[in-house]
Amino acid sequence: MKRFTLINGLALALLAVGVSLPMRAQEKESPKAKSTTIIGEVVDTRCYIGDDQDQKGSKHKACAEKCAKAGAALAILQEKTNKLVLIMPKEDAENPNTKFIPYIAKNVLVSGKVFEVGGMKAIIPSAVKEKK
């Protein structure tokens, strides 16, 4: 009986450790937002990343506007790093593209909270203005 209780006790202890470790890992991986301003060009992800790759600038503006209005995500192509920062909505069921469609193919300064999860950066914007 003692042996059975000891084995059950060890099994419960291992189970507790096994459950708590992944939870701690999730806590470490959860995003920590940093308020910052990023500078770059507003691009549509469909044509910048997709089949046509690297489509941007004034020559691509009309196509990017169509893509954004159809639901393709917009992003900021960072000026210094040439990396994309996805534009995220502040609220659920909010379309983040609406505020940025007028800025497609333009260089902008976007302030907000930046998250990085799984190697992907995203910003929840609080302000946007064209870079002069």
Side-chain angles (χ1 to χ4, degrees):
M1 186 72 166
K2 283 184 181 179
R3 182 179 175 147
F4 185 75
T5 306
L6 180 63
I7 291 173
N8 281 344
L10 285 172
L12 287 173
L14 289 172
L15 180 64
V17 170
V19 169
S20 68
L21 288 178
M23 289 175 80
R24 286 187 184 167
Q26 275 184 331
E27 288 172 6
K28 288 180 183 176
E29 292 174 6
S30 66
K32 304 248 185 215
K34 295 179 185 174
S35 292
T36 190
T37 299
I38 58 174
I39 302 168
E41 181 182 337
V42 178
V43 298
D44 78 287
T45 56
R46 164 60 186 93
C47 294
Y48 187 78
I49 300 172
D51 297 337
D52 299 330
Q53 289 193 346
D54 206 27
Q55 297 295 309
K56 61 182 180 167
S58 59
K59 292 180 188 175
H60 187 68
K61 184 178 179 176
C63 179
E65 286 173 349
K66 287 179 192 175
C67 287
K69 289 176 183 174
L74 292 177
I76 308 299
L77 179 62
Q78 286 185 290
E79 189 175 79
K80 289 184 180 179
T81 64
N82 213 33
K83 292 184 178 181
L84 289 178
V85 179
L86 191 62
I87 301 167
M88 299 296 294
K90 186 174 184 176
E91 302 293 330
D92 291 344
E94 179 183 57
N95 184 347
N97 289 355
T98 306
K99 191 175 189 178
F100 283 84
I101 288 174
Y103 296 102
I104 288 175
K106 294 180 180 178
N107 286 314
V108 293
L109 289 100
V110 182
S111 299
K113 292 184 178 183
V114 174
F115 296 84
E116 188 165 353
V117 178
M120 180 177 226
K121 269 190 178 180
I123 187 166
I124 297 176
S126 56
V128 60
K129 65 180 181 179
E130 189 171 351
K131 181 184 172 191
K132 300 290 179 183

